[in-house]
Amino acid sequence: MLCRPAMKTHLIALAALIAASPALADTIIDNFNGYQADDEGRIRTFNGLLIGDDGKVKIVLTPGASRPGPVARTIDMGGRTLLPGLIDAHGHVMGLGFAALQLDLTGTASLGELQQRLKDYAAANPDARWIVGRGWNQESWPVKNFPTAADLDAVVADRPVVLTRVDGHALVANSAAMRAAGVSASTPAPSGGRIENGLFIDNAMGLVRTKIPAATPAEADAALAKAQEILLGHGLTAVADMGTSADGWGAMTRAGDAGRLNVRIMSYASALPALEELGRTAPTEWLYGDRLRMGGVKLYADGALGSRGAWLKRPYADQPDTVGLRFLSDAELREQAGKAAAMGFQVATHAIGDAANAQVIAAYEALGKTHPGDRRWRIEHVQVVDPADIPRIAKAGIIASMQPTHQTSDWLMAEKRLDPPRLEGAYAWHTIAQSGARLAFGSDFPVESPNPFPGLAAAISRQDMSGQPPGGWRPEERVTLAQALHGFGRGAAFAGFAEDRIGSLDAGKWADFIIVDRDPTKVDAQALARTQVLETWVAGKKVYEKAASGAGGERGK
Ligand SMILES: [Zn+2]
């Protein structure tokens, strides 16, 4: 239907009026200190929200503004601090859930304590077909011998047990696991590996690991539920899932169908094979009230810096015979990214080393010509970039998806792997932002804790949770609190084509917000890192509340 311009204007004004006027079913969230980053590098304050019964914000109320009414209810937040729900632009949802459901052996003080934890876990999980755990370190035990199959058999002999060492370079298996893996005392270890009394080192670990059965749908559902519980407890109301498998997607859609999806998931399929397995040839719509969308594909250009798998332009400073691992030829990368883009998917490519980043930038520069339009090409990590390449990022419209806590975990290692000229372009948040590129922040959970507050603190201080190093590592790369909040909010939403729905509290967007125990604008970085989330709300409904005891949902780091 056509209408005359004047009438159209009139209708638009009327629609705006209807949208902005309170209805009897509305809710007012009142009496809080609200902070949110805008797109101009500032922090805006507000102290009330009018929310419709659809769970979306109608009006953001500022101090002194009269409260609309009458409404169904007014919730008094008691003067506490309110922020938009935080968004992690790069995590692994199922990995987080599975890791949290495994037997956690970090901090065991003796073999006896390992055995006790194993025994308790086995009793608490009678249906677990295999018991999988991680985190032991015999170096912190009084007797520093490696655990053996016999040590595990003494506690659990009825089903396979596989326990990985804290560094991931060794595992101990019980006799049932070795039987299931078809390994006996006479089995030779593969090259680069060793087997001793149930201990499998490095390349030998695969003999057992590959036999651990894939998760059942019920186990995947439990892992997703656990992951959501952890994320909401940390104040994350949305995440980008970087590398969704077909099984993971199955768990996410089952949760959506059952109304059990509270965290909003922006899904990036685990490369092209996952798309094929799912039979997807185009992105999905936003599903379940904007709680799930598969809109992108994740690709890999190289490995990681710690294991010298990051692909560098020049050899490693601490191992001159290698430049790391190149995963794809230029042609292969362009072909895979081009295929995904041709289907309408957003492309997010993992690149750690400066050679990998240069390769991905070049691929996106070329693809920008053949696949024009709003593509929002993403590089995941953008960890070490040749300073000469940094201006190319913004020019090609590439989003830098970076993880502040990688810097605080990695800096000592990075100083060994790289020389000073290359450190200039390492974890260079400020320089990249100044170049005009858009930043999106995340954690890469479960590699790092999903808790975004240590990430916000690292972003503004270049220090870890204990304040190390003093003054911050390469502090010129700090960003402002407004930029940090933007990276975990509007920036992360934009990086997922979701800025019209989430990332800030504005009229028409979802009422996803959190109540925290301190004012981020009034505390230092160390205190910011220790912020506790008291309540998490999604679509205007409370989905998490911290237990009054103060135990919270957090464990470990
Ligand atoms: Zn990752």
Side-chain angles (χ1 to χ4, degrees):
M1 196 180 78
L2 289 168
C3 44
R4 279 170 289 132
M7 192 171 172
K8 200 170 170 184
T9 310
H10 190 69
L11 285 175
I12 289 166
L14 188 67
L17 193 67
I18 291 167
S21 52
L24 285 173
D26 291 351
T27 298
I28 290 181
I29 308 286
D30 213 346
N31 187 27
F32 56 79
N33 294 316
Y35 297 104
Q36 62 179 339
D38 64 17
D39 282 328
E40 282 78 48
R42 291 174 310 220
I43 294 177
R44 281 192 278 143
T45 58
F46 56 107
N47 71 345
L49 290 169
L50 177 71
I51 300 171
D53 66 349
D54 59 356
K56 290 183 177 171
V57 175
K58 282 188 165 181
I59 309 177
V60 179
L61 300 159
T62 46
S66 64
R67 272 33 191 166
V71 293
R73 56 178 188 157
T74 294
I75 298 169
D76 188 322
M77 286 299 181
R80 296 180 294 174
T81 296
L82 182 147
L83 306 172
L86 295 167
I87 306 176
D88 190 312
H90 182 127
H92 304 275
V93 174
M94 300 307 295
L96 177 68
F98 283 121
L101 292 176
Q102 284 183 6
L103 169 57
D104 180 6
L105 297 167
T106 50
T108 45
S110 64
L111 173 63
E113 190 184 345
L114 177 149
Q115 288 174 311
Q116 187 60 48
R117 286 202 207 173
L118 171 58
K119 192 176 171 184
D120 294 346
Y121 184 90
N125 294 277
D127 298 331
R129 294 162 299 161
W130 282 56
I131 293 176
V132 180
R134 79 204 132 76
W136 55 270
N137 181 1
Q138 85 292 346
E139 288 297 322
S140 52
W141 298 348
V143 180
K144 301 187 193 320
N145 295 336
F146 280 109
T148 64
D151 293 331
L152 306 191
D153 290 346
V155 189
V156 177
D158 64 336
R159 48 196 152 140
V161 176
V162 179
L163 309 177
T164 304
R165 193 175 185 275
V166 66
D167 64 357
H169 284 276
L171 64 80
V172 59
N174 70 349
S175 297
M178 288 196 283
R179 271 197 305 278
V183 179
S184 70
S186 58
T187 304
S191 76
R194 227 162 68 225
I195 309 173
E196 307 163 353
N197 302 322
L199 189 76
F200 293 73
I201 298 166
D202 283 326
N203 286 350
M205 297 198 297
L207 293 173
V208 182
R209 265 203 186 147
T210 52
K211 301 300 187 300
I212 300 173
T216 63
E219 288 165 348
D221 291 349
L224 178 54
K226 185 72 188 172
Q228 291 194 71
E229 185 190 315
I230 295 167
L231 296 169
L232 294 170
H234 285 308
L236 291 163
T237 53
V239 298
D241 188 51
M242 271 300 150
T244 310
S245 67
D247 289 346
W249 181 254
M252 291 168 193
T253 50
R254 281 194 300 278
D257 288 338
R260 285 197 297 262
L261 209 50
N262 283 319
V263 177
R264 303 185 192 279
I265 301 175
M266 299 173 274
S267 162
Y268 292 74
S270 181
L272 299 174
L275 281 186
E276 258 163 53
E277 210 179 329
L278 286 162
R280 288 228 63 83
T281 53
T284 70
E285 299 295 306
W286 281 99
L287 306 168
Y288 315 117
D290 292 350
R291 282 179 174 79
L292 182 64
R293 175 175 180 254
M294 181 175 280
V297 175
K298 165 88 178 289
L299 302 174
Y300 284 87
D302 67 347
L305 197 60
S307 50
R308 298 190 187 85
W311 175 31
L312 299 176
K313 290 187 176 185
R314 288 183 289 110
Y316 278 78
D318 59 352
Q319 196 177 321
D321 63 349
T322 182
V323 292
L325 301 173
R326 169 190 197 150
F327 283 13
L328 301 167
S329 70
D330 294 351
E332 283 167 335
L333 174 59
R334 280 182 211 187
E335 200 221 307
Q336 291 185 19
K339 220 176 211 174
M343 288 188 272
F345 286 99
Q346 187 187 10
V347 181
T349 309
H350 164 118
I352 303 263
D354 53 8
N357 276 286
Q359 183 192 35
V360 179
I361 292 168
Y364 288 165
E365 285 169 343
L367 288 165
K369 298 197 180 84
T370 48
H371 298 80
D374 186 4
R375 292 287 178 167
R376 303 191 195 178
W377 310 100
R378 294 176 58 144
I379 302 182
E380 302 306 309
H381 310 307
V382 205
Q383 215 155 287
V384 184
V385 188
D386 184 337
D389 292 329
I390 288 180
R392 298 167 66 193
I393 298 173
K395 220 180 220 169
I398 297 167
I399 293 169
S401 168
M402 305 180 78
Q403 297 74 35
T405 48
H406 278 343
Q407 181 269 303
T408 47
S409 299
D410 290 358
W411 67 276
L412 282 169
M413 175 270 289
E415 286 191 341
K416 293 193 190 96
R417 301 282 183 275
L418 306 168
D419 33 46
R422 289 187 286 191
L423 291 172
E424 291 290 324
Y427 314 86
W429 315 319
H430 173 77
T431 302
I432 290 172
Q434 281 300 105
S435 77
R438 287 175 180 271
L439 293 185
F441 280 153
S443 68
D444 202 9
F445 64 77
V447 175
E448 304 280 354
S449 160
N451 186 348
F453 290 95
L456 289 163
I460 63 168
S461 70
R462 308 279 284 189
Q463 289 174 312
D464 65 18
M465 285 191 71
S466 51
Q468 289 303 314
W473 184 73
R474 306 186 71 87
E476 62 276 16
E477 293 297 346
R478 285 179 304 207
V479 295
T480 64
L481 179 63
Q483 285 177 300
L485 288 169
H486 191 278
F488 280 103
R490 284 176 182 266
F494 184 88
F497 282 98
E499 76 281 7
D500 53 340
R501 292 168 166 79
I502 55 173
S504 62
L505 293 162
D506 288 306
K509 297 192 193 180
W510 290 105
D512 296 353
F513 58 87
I514 60 176
I515 302 290
V516 294
D517 72 342
R518 63 199 72 186
D519 182 335
T521 67
K522 296 193 170 64
V523 296
D524 65 13
Q526 302 316 305
L528 177 62
R530 286 171 175 73
T531 300
Q532 299 286 308
V533 174
L534 305 176
E535 297 177 16
T536 301
W537 295 60
V538 172
K541 290 201 171 59
K542 198 194 296 181
V543 291
Y544 166 82
E545 182 158 15
K546 185 174 159 65
S549 68
E554 192 189 4
R555 200 172 40 150
K557 64 172 178 177

